[in-house]
Amino acid sequence: MLSKTAEYALRAVACLGAQPGESSPADSLAEKTKVPRRYLNRVLQDLAAAGLVQSRPGPGGGYLLARETGEVTILEVVNAVGPLERIRKCPLGLASHTELCPLHAELDRAYAATEEAFRGVTIKQLVESTSPIVPLCEV
């Protein structure tokens, strides 16, 4: 249901969120998150454009979260790189379908529930979980 880009963005943000205030070089971030370096660069650019991460150039530089982990939701991260698309009209373009058919209405309800669930979970909740496993990245 999530695009690869959204998955990669969540990995990067969760990894950065596990070390608040510290910058992480892109090479290190790519290694920890198992995201190809070139792909990660594009993802980080999108996250920066959305105001979720910032970069620090030069020696000792890298990427860090631009906001507190408690202020960033899963939905914001996903929407920064590839928003969840709700079904507003017939995807088949059928003129007789003036409203969603039962199948597309049901699919849209599932998308709405996913959107709501993602809106309710912050990166802080992920990284401060009682689980000994750091979400989405290698330690």
Side-chain angles (χ1 to χ4, degrees):
M1 189 161 173
L2 279 182
S3 69
K4 184 179 284 190
T5 304
E7 167 76 18
Y8 287 172
L10 286 167
R11 289 184 199 180
V13 170
C15 203
L16 292 172
Q19 50 188 29
E22 294 179 36
S23 62
S24 182
D27 286 337
S28 172
L29 199 53
E31 185 179 326
K32 287 180 182 177
T33 60
K34 307 293 185 214
V35 177
R37 174 75 159 79
R38 283 187 157 172
Y39 204 140
L40 182 61
N41 280 339
R42 288 193 306 253
V43 169
L44 290 168
Q45 287 173 355
D46 288 344
L47 292 170
L52 297 176
V53 302
Q54 55 187 200
S55 64
R56 288 191 178 152
Y63 291 89
L64 68 156
L65 289 183
R67 296 176 18 215
E68 296 293 322
T69 56
E71 299 174 2
V72 180
T73 67
I74 291 176
L75 183 62
E76 286 181 279
V77 176
V78 170
N79 282 342
V81 296
L84 292 176
E85 292 190 25
R86 299 285 304 277
I87 303 172
R88 305 287 183 206
K89 60 182 181 173
C90 177
L92 303 175
L94 302 175
S96 63
H97 289 198
T98 56
E99 57 187 59
L100 295 179
C101 70
L103 171 64
H104 288 120
E106 201 56 45
L107 288 173
D108 187 58
R109 275 192 283 282
Y111 293 153
T114 300
E115 201 173 58
E116 193 57 34
F118 287 175
R119 182 180 285 112
V121 180
T122 66
I123 300 307
K124 181 176 183 165
Q125 289 172 293
L126 293 179
V127 299
E128 291 184 0
S129 165
T130 57
S131 172
I133 300 169
V134 177
L136 304 170
C137 71
E138 190 70 70
V139 179

